[in-house]
Amino acid sequence: MLRLLLLLLIPTGFAVAQPFSIKGSVTGADQKPVEGAVVSLLRSTDSSFVKGALVDGNGSFAIANLPAGNFRLSVSYLGYQNYLSQPILLDEQHPSADLPAIALQPAEKSLSEVRVVAKKPFVEQRIDRVVVNPDALISNAGTTSLDVLEKAPGVQVDANGVISLQGRAGVVVFVDDKPTYLSAGELANYLRSLPSGSIETIEIMTNPPAKYDAAGNAGVINIRLKKTKARGLNGGWNVSYGQGRYFRSNNSANLNYRTGNLNFFGNASLNANNMYQDLTIWREYFAPTGQKQSGFTQNSYIRRRMNSANLKAGVDWYVSKKSTLGLVLSGFYNPGSSTVTNNARVFDANGGVTARVEAFTPSDRLLDNKTANLNYAYKFDSSGRELSINLDYLTYGSNTDQSLINTVFATDQPVEKTILESSLPSTINIRTAKADYVHPLAKGSKVEAGIKRSDIETDNVANFVDVVGSVRRPNYEFSNNFTYNEAINAGYVNYSLERKRFTMQAGLRFENTAIRGEQLGNEMVNDSSFSRQYNSLFPTFYATYRLDSAGKHQLRFSYGRRIDRPNYQSMNPFTYPLDRFTLYGGNPYLRPTYSDNLEFSHTFNNAVTTTLRYSEARDVIFETIQQGDQIFYSRPGNFGKQISYGIALNGTWQPAKWWTLQVYSEVMYNRFQANLYNQQVDNKGTYWYVAPTNQFRLGANWSAELAGTYQTRAYAGQFIVIPIGQVRAGVSKTVWKNKGTLKLAVSDLFYTNQVGGNIQGLGNSTARWYSYLDSRVATISFAYRFNSGQTLRQRQTGGSESEQSRVRS
């Protein structure tokens, strides 16, 4: 591996020319600078967006680090006509362009006959990440963040909301560079509460830079929320109504107010999401000789009601031209309820029914969060030398009150009824401190370095009570109290350079982890505890090389080492019942997952990218299923090894002026190997995934979309998932002088996005399942934006980058 990295560094010896650049100035008809005007660089061939800039207080702008090619410059500002330049050529003979002053004309004057719309593409490829622009898809309107993620290239979301990337679990999800600190289930509920209208971009990083925490075996997904960046009062709002079997509504608003040296900003959302899952499970049990002994079938109708309120507010104080102090407060309040109606039948070896079980499980759940971030940034000079400091405090509270009511029938007569009630309060407190420093060097290179400390404290109580008539007795089999403490110290250094054809970034991160867990026990179970400490190094490397001066052919290579730590509560050794036939438990012996990930890609004309991928992971944390005495035990466990490799294609074509086609497709081989509960598991196979998106421009104010996804049989841990696919469509119209947008979209037109599969490595038993979901939803939405004032540069804040993804409430 080291030799390969050294070979990739060889081109730095002869690629010494500066990257291409464009600079100029913008004024109004009165010759005064138009501060905040938006400058967009477009390709001459198809007017696709390349890079942008803002005009500063002196009326100047500069766009650097550009590829070679032919471009046009578009300049826009409220109250003025859009400006479009003549073609601009950048090549070896013309490495830079110093444009004559641009004078914008007032909007009341007649417009030019030439009209160019600088629309960002759905997917953008950068050196260390893929950037998705959700607003580019009509079908994203009025949906949730989880729905948006399902359409992002390489991202899969299963029926329970568990997110995987390129067929690999262990994804860390950030929001505004802050980890969500939630378990898979709670994360899914939170993302369902976050409307798509509040999202600016989604960044997908399979090999994140060293600046990011090393957590996340499969990589990092960073959701950036909208933040209006303008003087005066500016913002927008989105409202929606969706109807499947049950209704849902996702609504959001963002606001910005800049006065003097203060910039106030915020966004809020109110949401109601109602859905169902109709799940059927089949199990069969065999003697060691292979003879069938019994069987089991269970149908569960799960009705979920989730309401949520999210709020984020902040202020930036521009103390001077060099220093900025900021405060951000945020939080969410997510109450919800669910009812599970179970009907199960137990069969003998000949298929005769020996027992029937009816179960009803109502539950009320509340998840809330409060977050405070204090940040400071100091710019030493105009070269880009900068120091930033972030202090974060986060607290999570969760409580679930649930009843599990079981009635057992022999033929048609009830013979046993049990009631198990539980209260599950949980708290998590997280403190992080982080400092980052950026130091530019000569000839387009720079060094970044930083340190971070995080402390996590969790307290989880499980109170179970057996109810017999009017008597309530503590259940010590399931009741417990688990506390967990963790401290992580980290530091990193990152070096990057940009030359005419070659771009490189290399980093190294060190993390020291110390953990301690304590199970307080009860009258039946003794106290127990564990502690652990380990050190790890995480190298990262990226390189891009343009094979020709026009940049039509580009090669990219990346390598990164990652870690996936267990969720905080996954190490709690106690078990609790999901239903009469399935128990869930933690695992105090979980080891962290380490993975090495490589990618090599070729990009043609900035439109089609083909990528080869290889990943090898050890001690992969995954859900495991164990069969014993006709009871299934579900708990997290370590798979000894996972190997993944394959090829992916992401491309954009324009078959006609009114038609744009974007296609993402991948073919991946996955292999999971483990010795689980004295059973050898070797689950392997190849799957194909394709996601075409057709966008149609139907006129000046109308557009439409027709898209879908399809995935063949897939392999993950002990599970084999059946093929699944769906088709969606939408139409959009802009109104009120392009300030408002009305959209209608329908997901899963043919009701085919239903998942099922079977479980491997169960010894003397087999299991399979099939699930119907509320996937066909018609949504109508309306978005309105208002804008007055001059645009400002958005600041990124936050220092707690990985801890949130591991919270399990």
Side-chain angles (χ1 to χ4, degrees), residues 607-608 649-656 659-663:
V608 181
L649 181 142
N650 187 26
T652 302
W653 295 269
Q654 195 161 10
W659 178 15
T660 300
L661 172 62
Q662 192 273 331
V663 177

Side-chain angles (χ1 to χ4, degrees), residues 355-423:
R356 185 167 58 87
V357 180
E358 293 183 357
F360 181 67
T361 309
S363 65
D364 293 307
R365 194 163 199 169
L366 174 64
L367 176 66
D368 65 85
N369 157 256
K370 303 176 187 67
T371 302
N373 165 256
L374 182 66
N375 59 85
Y376 176 77
Y378 183 80
K379 298 179 181 179
F380 293 89
D381 48 46
S382 59
S383 68
R385 192 157 62 99
E386 182 174 351
L387 172 68
S388 60
I389 299 172
N390 279 273
L391 302 176
D392 290 273
Y393 177 75
L394 306 95
T395 178
Y396 285 83
S398 173
N399 189 64
T400 301
D401 293 321
Q402 179 176 284
S403 297
L404 177 57
I405 305 168
N406 280 288
T407 304
V408 181
F409 295 82
T411 62
D412 292 328
Q413 298 299 317
V415 295
E416 181 186 6
K417 183 174 182 178
T418 61
I419 300 177
L420 180 66
E421 295 183 348
S422 61
S423 177

Side-chain angles (χ1 to χ4, degrees), residues 73-85:
L73 203 69
S74 172
V75 182
S76 61
Y77 191 70
L78 189 67
Y80 291 90
Q81 299 178 29
N82 286 351
Y83 168 83
L84 182 67
S85 73

Side-chain angles (χ1 to χ4, degrees), residues 647-707:
I647 185 170
L649 181 142
N650 187 26
T652 302
W653 295 269
Q654 195 161 10
K657 290 184 178 181
W658 48 269
W659 178 15
T660 300
L661 172 62
Q662 192 273 331
V663 177
Y664 177 82
S665 183
E666 64 184 24
V667 177
M668 296 292 296
Y669 172 85
N670 274 335
R671 184 176 187 180
F672 292 81
Q673 296 173 287
N675 187 335
L676 296 176
Y677 315 116
N678 298 317
Q679 298 291 324
Q680 291 295 326
V681 177
D682 190 1
N683 192 17
K684 58 187 176 182
T686 302
Y687 75 88
W688 173 53
Y689 173 86
V690 62
T693 301
N694 295 275
Q695 294 177 299
F696 308 101
R697 192 168 60 249
L698 305 180
N701 299 314
W702 287 90
S703 59
E705 177 184 310
L706 180 64

